[in-house]
Amino acid sequence: MEKKIEIRAYKDEFYPPVPTKATKFWRTNLVYQIYKFLRLNYKIMRIVVKGHS
Amino acid sequence: MAKVVVLGAGISGHTAASFLKKMLGSKHEVVVVSPNRYYQWVPSNIWVGVGRMKIDQVRFPLDKVYQKWGIIYKQAKALEFHPEGDQENNSPFVTIEYVANAEKGQREKVSYDYLVNATGPKLNFDATPGLGPGKFSQSVCSYDHAAHSWEALQQSIKAMENGQMQRLLIGTGHPSATCQGAAFEYALNIAFELKRKKLSHMAEITWITNEYELGDFGMGGAFVKRGGYITSTKVFTESVLTENNIKWIKRAGVTKVEDGIAHYETLSGEQNTKDFDFAMLIPAFKGQDFKAYDKSGEDITAKVFAPNGFMKVDADYTPRAYESWTVEEWPKTYQSPVYPNMYATGIAFAPPHGISKPMKSPTGLSITPSPPRTGMPSGVTGKIVAQNIAHFIKHGETEHKHTASMGKMGAACIVSAGFSMTRGLGATMTVSPIVPDWQRYPEWGRDIKATVGEVGLAGHWIKLFLHYMFIHKAKGYPFWWLLPE
Ligand SMILES: Cc1cc2nc3c(=O)[nH]c(=O)nc-3n(C[C@H](O)[C@H](O)[C@H](O)COP(=O)(O)OP(=O)(O)OC[C@H]3O[C@@H](n4cnc5c(N)ncnc54)[C@H](O)[C@@H]3O)c2cc1C
């Protein structure tokens, strides 16, 4: 039987940017994410400290 | 000796009570009235809803902590406010009704010198016929709702394992619902769990929302610096949904839910339905239906509370067109304009207006997210009110030394997108300020340098770290007061 292909063209979900393989890789790369963890915490703390003044 | 009564032991009330006691010590009395004997870290309910956490990981009993701190705890719900006292009492008081143990059903007049109303939202399932647990949809707004939602979701998962396609509908269950962020997290966590079980192909997940554009989140959307562009959260949100194969219906106000069918009206006036096998839809929020009376017993509810039941504070409630809204209308001290010894913090205060632009369908149905008041502003407002009250009591002053406006303060929101220490994901978003300040930041409404939007494993770690940190703080473990709200 022929496999039914769902054509996404012209649908809402056709247009947004989607991550490439490399982007997905870096998202769960432990070393890079440890760096991100520290950086994001720093950015969050800056906002938090401002909110408490 | 002064007496401060705090109504509610959620993020805001518990923060206020803990700082009040710490600052006032044993010379003064702090009383907490809350019907739920548990403190719950609400943001982690999402993980209860996908079976990744048990109820007891997101809650703990309050009595032990309050005993340790010397706070008087009454497991009761507040019913009436008497800010001038009554014919027999000159002191202001609240009428409460006990909800547990031998005292269940008994009423008591609890007098106060200062009152902090931190009773959060009433989950108004009744505003949408058929909505909510025990009816035709699920909720994750409290730990018990989330646990039920997980039970229902497991049935859908079983059906998928048996080869049946399942239609899952997640989003807002009322045209003016808020808390899109929580529902969005739930949709992403479900998608993640289905991927983990290799069942993604058996599910059709749909995100239904009252937002004008995706990524509005009740705060008019936001812009983030990303990949060399300044990008709106619309793009960010659509991208995350597309990646997870989640379809969406936007500008939709759910008006009725039946067994397996959600009815909704769109901003263009269409009346549509969406079939589902499993639905988790966030209800509208309102205040706790309190009544207020003056000394002679006359009903002054409309003076103290806004029509939506939230308490009026030092906001400017003059009706204005969206184009004329400024951050100046947002409250700073959370003090009642009619009774200066009363405050409302967290979700319990009445916002001056929305943050998202009001929209109506041709039938006149308002389809617009209400303004969210997330964890950080709830904690911060609880803390500054506690600091001010403690200062008044200790120094006899009446000037508010501490202020916190949502038009000045920023917020960090970590959207969980999958629970795993090595493969999990979280979208970290920060905005500053929460309410766009178009005078100060004419281009984007917010400080673009302080705004972050990133997806990665680090986001999951941060969300999990915050879970443990805030429970540590709420339990009053060593150095709890050093941890920020
Ligand atoms: C599923 C979910 C996920 C969320 N995730 C996030 C997140 O990731 N980040 C974030 O910043 N925010 C998040 N939020 C929002 C956050 O939980 C709220 O901002 C916060 O809980 C509000 O705190 P509150 O103290 O004002 O209200 P609540 O936490 O609702 O507390 C209200 C308290 O009042 C008590 N009460 C109710 N009625 C009465 C009465 N009549 N008398 C006395 N006491 C009463 C209740 O028992 C409770 O103790 C989420 C919300 C939900 C529902």
Side-chain angles (χ1 to χ4, degrees):
Chain A
M1 206 171 69
E2 208 177 310
K3 200 177 163 218
K4 203 175 155 238
I5 295 170
E6 193 201 338
I7 297 174
R8 294 196 309 147
Y10 292 92
K11 292 189 179 158
D12 281 346
E13 60 270 23
F14 187 54
Y15 299 99
V18 283
T20 58
K21 255 192 184 165
T23 303
K24 284 186 180 172
F25 169 79
W26 289 112
R27 276 180 183 177
T28 49
N29 178 279
L30 286 182
V31 178
Y32 186 59
Q33 290 300 319
I34 289 168
Y35 159 72
K36 281 279 172 191
F37 179 78
L38 299 173
R39 201 178 126 89
L40 287 170
N41 270 312
Y42 165 72
K43 287 211 161 191
I44 292 170
M45 276 316 289
R46 268 182 41 181
I47 293 221
V48 169
V49 168
K50 232 172 96 186
H52 284 61
S53 59
Chain B
M1 186 180 79
K3 181 173 174 185
V4 189
V5 174
V6 179
L7 306 178
I11 294 178
S12 200
H14 189 69
T15 304
S18 55
F19 279 101
L20 276 164
K21 195 66 203 172
K22 180 168 182 339
M23 289 181 278
L24 291 173
S26 53
K27 276 199 199 134
H28 305 282
E29 204 170 282
V30 177
V31 178
V32 172
V33 176
S34 186
N36 188 345
R37 60 180 286 260
Y38 292 100
Y39 175 87
Q40 60 172 318
W41 180 243
V42 181
S44 298
N45 287 341
I46 298 301
W47 291 331
V48 175
V50 290
R52 289 282 144 199
M53 275 197 179
K54 297 265 174 271
I55 280 185
D56 282 329
Q57 286 174 277
V58 302
R59 69 172 194 184
F60 64 84
L62 289 163
D63 46 1
K64 255 201 219 150
V65 180
Y66 286 160
Q67 221 169 12
K68 182 174 79 180
W69 280 338
I71 290 174
I72 299 166
Y73 171 55
K74 295 175 188 281
Q75 195 183 348
K77 60 182 180 200
L79 300 173
E80 293 168 2
F81 287 41
H82 294 264
E84 299 171 9
D86 61 9
Q87 306 288 9
E88 295 134 41
N89 303 280
N90 282 329
S91 314
F93 66 89
V94 277
T95 308
I96 64 165
E97 183 179 298
Y98 286 90
V99 297
N101 307 328
E103 301 142 312
K104 192 174 173 179
Q106 276 178 30
R107 289 195 176 191
E108 186 183 324
K109 291 175 177 179
V110 181
S111 63
Y112 61 83
D113 295 302
Y114 289 93
L115 181 73
V116 181
N117 171 14
T119 47
K122 177 170 175 154
L123 305 175
N124 192 9
F125 292 106
D126 292 343
T128 312
L131 184 80
K135 295 183 195 159
F136 303 115
S137 65
Q138 305 299 325
S139 151
V140 286
C141 292
S142 62
Y143 53 76
D144 48 337
H145 289 174
H148 279 130
S149 193
W150 170 228
E151 281 169 25
L153 185 62
Q154 282 178 94
Q155 288 179 14
S156 274
I157 291 173
K158 250 192 213 124
M160 289 180 221
E161 284 165 349
N162 292 333
Q164 272 171 270
M165 275 296 288
Q166 291 285 291
R167 295 152 305 176
L168 314 179
L169 184 65
I170 319 290
T172 49
H174 186 271
S176 65
T178 182
C179 222
Q180 285 76 11
F184 185 62
E185 280 189 294
Y186 196 49
L188 298 180
N189 270 271
I190 291 177
F192 186 84
E193 293 301 324
L194 294 181
K195 219 176 279 169
R196 196 191 315 240
K197 292 181 195 303
K198 302 199 176 6
L199 286 171
S200 302
H201 62 292
M202 296 304 294
E204 178 202 286
I205 310 178
T206 306
W207 168 245
I208 187 162
T209 176
N210 55 357
E211 297 156 295
Y212 183 75
E213 291 295 357
L214 300 196
D216 183 280
F217 295 125
M219 44 169 214
F223 288 84
V224 291
K225 251 192 191 172
R226 215 175 153 228
Y229 285 83
I230 292 172
T231 310
S232 99
T233 44
K234 168 189 189 308
V235 176
F236 190 68
T237 310
E238 288 181 352
S239 169
V240 174
L241 289 182
T242 302
E243 182 190 344
N244 285 284
N245 201 18
I246 300 173
K247 312 267 192 307
W248 61 86
I249 303 168
K250 62 184 181 185
R251 303 176 192 176
V254 171
T255 50
K256 188 166 81 174
V257 185
E258 291 176 322
D259 191 7
I261 309 167
H263 296 255
Y264 64 94
E265 181 171 328
T266 64
L267 262 184
S268 55
E270 287 168 41
Q271 307 286 337
N272 289 332
T273 57
K274 177 75 190 159
D275 295 348
F276 63 81
D277 299 292
F278 169 92
M280 196 300 292
L281 299 168
I282 301 276
F285 289 175
K286 63 175 195 150
Q288 297 289 356
D289 294 332
F290 293 129
K291 288 272 177 203
Y293 300 95
D294 70 7
K295 194 161 176 63
S296 66
E298 200 178 312
D299 190 329
I300 51 163
T301 308
K303 215 164 110 182
V304 178
F305 296 96
N308 57 12
F310 294 119
M311 199 174 113
K312 288 184 197 165
V313 291
D314 62 318
D316 180 350
Y317 295 104
T318 315
R320 287 181 174 82
Y322 171 77
E323 288 70 20
S324 310
W325 291 355
T326 69
V327 293
E328 292 313 316
E329 286 102 61
W330 286 80
K332 296 171 188 72
T333 64
Y334 305 87
Q335 185 180 37
S336 162
V338 273
Y339 297 103
N341 59 345
M342 274 171 42
Y343 291 81
T345 63
I347 295 182
F349 81 83
H353 42 63
I355 304 175
S356 304
K357 185 174 177 174
M359 304 271 180
K360 274 193 177 155
S361 76
T363 68
L365 180 70
S366 168
I367 305 178
T368 312
S370 299
R373 264 87 32 91
T374 54
M376 191 178 141
S378 298
V380 170
T381 54
K383 182 173 177 180
I384 63 121
V385 164
Q387 287 172 317
N388 284 327
I389 293 176
H391 189 75
F392 298 162
I393 293 173
K394 281 163 84 172
H395 304 285
E397 289 175 22
T398 51
E399 191 203 334
H400 292 96
K401 286 227 178 296
H402 303 269
T403 57
S405 162
M406 281 173 58
K408 295 258 183 310
M409 131 188 36
C413 192
I414 324 294
V415 175
S416 165
F419 190 107
S420 160
M421 281 312 278
T422 50
R423 288 179 21 250
L425 287 176
T428 308
M429 274 186 58
T430 61
V431 288
S432 181
I434 301 168
V435 178
D437 184 345
W438 296 105
Q439 269 76 29
R440 194 156 169 215
Y441 307 107
E443 261 188 304
W444 314 109
R446 299 195 176 91
D447 181 0
I448 206 77
K449 281 192 228 130
T451 308
V452 172
E454 297 221 19
V455 182
L457 179 57
H460 173 68
W461 292 340
I462 295 173
K463 183 117 188 158
L464 198 61
F465 171 69
L466 293 179
H467 165 95
Y468 290 112
M469 182 185 98
F470 283 118
I471 286 186
H472 176 103
K473 180 180 164 95
K475 282 185 172 171
Y477 285 164
F479 305 111
W480 64 267
W481 66 90
L482 294 177
L483 299 172
E485 277 59 55

